[in-house]
Amino acid sequence: MEARFSLTFQYQVLFTNSVFDPQNPLLVRTLAQKEPSRQHCLTIFVDDGVMGTWPHLEEDIEEYIDVHKKHLRLSTGLIKVSGGEECKNDPDILHMVYRQLLELEVDRHSFVLAIGGGAVLDTIGYGAATTHRGVHLVRLPTTVLAQNDAGIGVKTGMNFFDSKNFIGAFAPPFAVINDLRFLKTLSCRDRRAGIAEAVKVALINDRNFFEWLESQVQALNAFDFNAISHMIHHCAELHLNHIACSGDPFEIGNARPLDYGHWSAHKLESLTKHELRHGEAVAIGIAIDSRYASQIGLLPKGTEVRICQLLEKVGFRLWHPVMRDTDSKGKLRLIEGIREFRKHLGGDLSITLLTDIGERVEIHDIDLREIETTIHWLEDRERGS
Ligand SMILES: NC(=O)c1ccc[n+]([C@@H]2O[C@H](COP(=O)([O-])OP(=O)(O)OC[C@H]3O[C@@H](n4cnc5c(N)ncnc54)[C@H](O)[C@@H]3O)[C@@H](O)[C@H]2O)c1
Ligand SMILES: [Zn+2]
């Protein structure tokens, strides 16, 4: 016997400003598109970092729903979720999500709306994906990183037993709405963090985009609206294109180009107990993997310096003291990230490296001594020698 079937997934990533302005039809149109004659029930979870900086959000949403009550209704008021990595670390938050969805009788016709950074979207996304084996999720990413990367793909995840994204599910959203206005209240750190993912996707896919990022550093650092908006738009496009066209959206094979620089980034996040933001760790991960590629003769010499310079000009520090930490055998603890990545892949290592800007290759072996040299190189660079 054999069962063979395939499913087609389709969702839109939409861009707007002021999504809850009653005159803006995007949200109601998106939710009502499949069943226009129905009144759709919405349960909304909001990152507390957003709640804190947008004090009128609840009123605005209620007014929006009221104006569009023919199509929309709220199951309850906004449900606040702790923002940042702590929500991915905390099983009690997942329980709270399940309890709310149970008590509010959210069913497979209702919508869950998640508003927040990548961490909140990952948590609510996992909760929604595993309730009734999947309820409709609309994501409203509110950080640069969530709008250009974390919030637009098909993955959800939470950290368990100190292991990053140990539990999770592939669960395409119903839709994603990027409202650039939310970015206004972001801290400088979180404005910057998302730029690392843009550098990543440019490096693995698009030399012109990398050169554009180099030419726009000042505008990006000043958070110039046009530059940020173009960066998010193009990065999201490349990211989505990879998901839709790579032939492996649910990562059944081992190649993970979108995880470029991430084996060390995830380890750095855990080693620093999430003191480093995901984007900050990714910037270091990109520096490590580009220097390593140059050391082993894969990437033309000097290209890694150009990449590091772009990251530094954006304001990333390409070093963290934890990179010096060693285990009882004197080995750098960061390097353990390779073993963990291999384990996550199921035993066969596959790491994306660059052969040039915009060109990549998958490699299956890593020379650990060379990686140590790479890390020392970054330390020397930090010291200015
Ligand atoms: N699922 C995926 O495919 C995927 C991809 C990349 C990253 N991620 C995950 O995304 C997470 C990182 O996401 P992030 O960079 O968005 O950071 P984050 O979610 O940790 O948020 C950072 C901080 O910004 C606050 N915040 C969010 N929006 C705000 C706003 N508009 N104004 C003011 N404050 C706001 C949050 O409360 C939090 O304190 C990591 O857990 C990472 O693993 C997931
Ligand atoms: Zn990432």
Side-chain angles (χ1 to χ4, degrees), residues 112-131:
V112 170
L113 198 70
I115 306 177
V120 165
L121 299 183
D122 266 1
T123 305
I124 304 304
Y126 183 68
T130 48
T131 297

Side-chain angles (χ1 to χ4, degrees), residues 89-374:
N89 286 330
D90 186 354
D92 288 347
I93 294 185
L94 184 62
H95 268 112
M96 178 279 285
V97 174
Y98 288 143
R99 181 157 297 284
Q100 291 282 359
L101 297 182
L102 174 76
E103 286 174 0
L104 296 167
E105 299 182 356
V106 169
D107 59 30
R108 287 175 53 86
H109 295 286
S110 328
F111 286 97
V112 170
L113 198 70
I115 306 177
V120 165
L121 299 183
D122 266 1
T123 305
I124 304 304
Y126 183 68
T130 48
T131 297
H132 299 310
R133 303 193 175 100
V135 295
H136 292 323
L137 175 74
V138 176
R139 303 193 198 122
L140 257 83
T142 58
T143 65
V144 173
L145 192 136
Q147 293 198 354
N148 68 7
D149 189 296
I152 60 167
V154 293
K155 293 195 272 188
T156 68
M158 291 187 70
N159 312 329
F160 255 62
F161 315 118
D162 271 342
S163 181
K164 177 90 182 169
N165 297 329
F166 182 71
I167 61 168
F170 289 97
F174 183 86
V176 181
I177 299 180
N178 274 343
D179 182 346
L180 295 160
R181 200 161 155 259
F182 276 118
L183 306 180
K184 285 191 176 150
T185 52
L186 273 184
S187 66
C188 289
R189 246 186 118 172
D190 288 304
R191 288 178 171 190
R192 181 186 304 126
I195 303 177
E197 300 281 11
V199 174
K200 171 199 79 179
V201 88
L203 284 172
I204 58 168
N205 269 319
D206 187 341
R207 186 183 183 95
N208 289 339
F209 185 40
F210 182 85
E211 286 170 355
W212 181 87
L213 289 167
E214 284 182 318
S215 72
Q216 296 297 313
V217 166
Q218 275 186 344
L220 293 171
N221 286 348
F223 217 61
D224 171 86
F225 185 78
N226 288 334
I228 289 292
S229 160
H230 176 80
M231 180 201 72
I232 290 175
H233 207 283
H234 194 62
C235 181
E237 195 173 24
L238 289 172
H239 192 103
L240 209 57
N241 208 27
H242 181 86
I243 291 171
C245 306
S246 68
D248 191 18
F250 288 0
E251 299 180 349
I252 290 161
N254 279 346
R256 305 276 164 89
L258 291 175
D259 278 349
Y260 176 63
H262 278 55
W263 70 263
S264 53
H266 285 161
K267 188 66 188 170
L268 278 168
E269 286 181 83
S270 321
L271 286 176
T272 62
K273 304 210 171 354
H274 303 284
E275 177 200 309
L276 276 181
R277 292 276 203 271
H278 179 72
E280 293 166 343
V282 169
I284 298 175
I286 291 172
I288 292 175
D289 283 1
S290 56
R291 173 64 185 182
Y292 174 79
S294 151
Q295 271 171 220
I296 61 166
L298 208 56
L299 184 67
K301 290 247 173 301
T303 311
E304 84 283 15
V305 176
R306 183 175 168 189
I307 295 168
C308 289
Q309 279 170 347
L310 172 59
L311 293 166
E312 283 163 344
K313 281 185 194 157
V314 169
F316 289 111
R317 187 181 173 197
L318 302 180
W319 176 255
H320 189 284
V322 88
M323 290 162 75
R324 211 183 283 129
D325 282 9
T326 49
D327 62 14
S328 55
K329 292 183 187 141
K331 284 198 191 126
L332 289 174
R333 291 172 71 204
L334 178 58
I335 290 180
E336 176 69 6
I338 293 177
R339 202 185 61 81
E340 288 170 8
F341 196 64
R342 186 197 304 265
K343 213 166 79 186
H344 174 72
L345 293 177
D348 296 323
L349 187 66
S350 193
I351 286 185
T352 304
L353 288 182
L354 302 179
T355 53
D356 206 342
I357 290 172
E359 308 288 331
R360 60 174 196 263
V361 70
E362 288 295 309
I363 56 114
H364 306 287
D365 271 314
I366 284 260
D367 183 332
L368 300 185
R369 266 181 312 192
E370 285 290 348
I371 289 281
E372 288 207 19
T373 309
T374 302

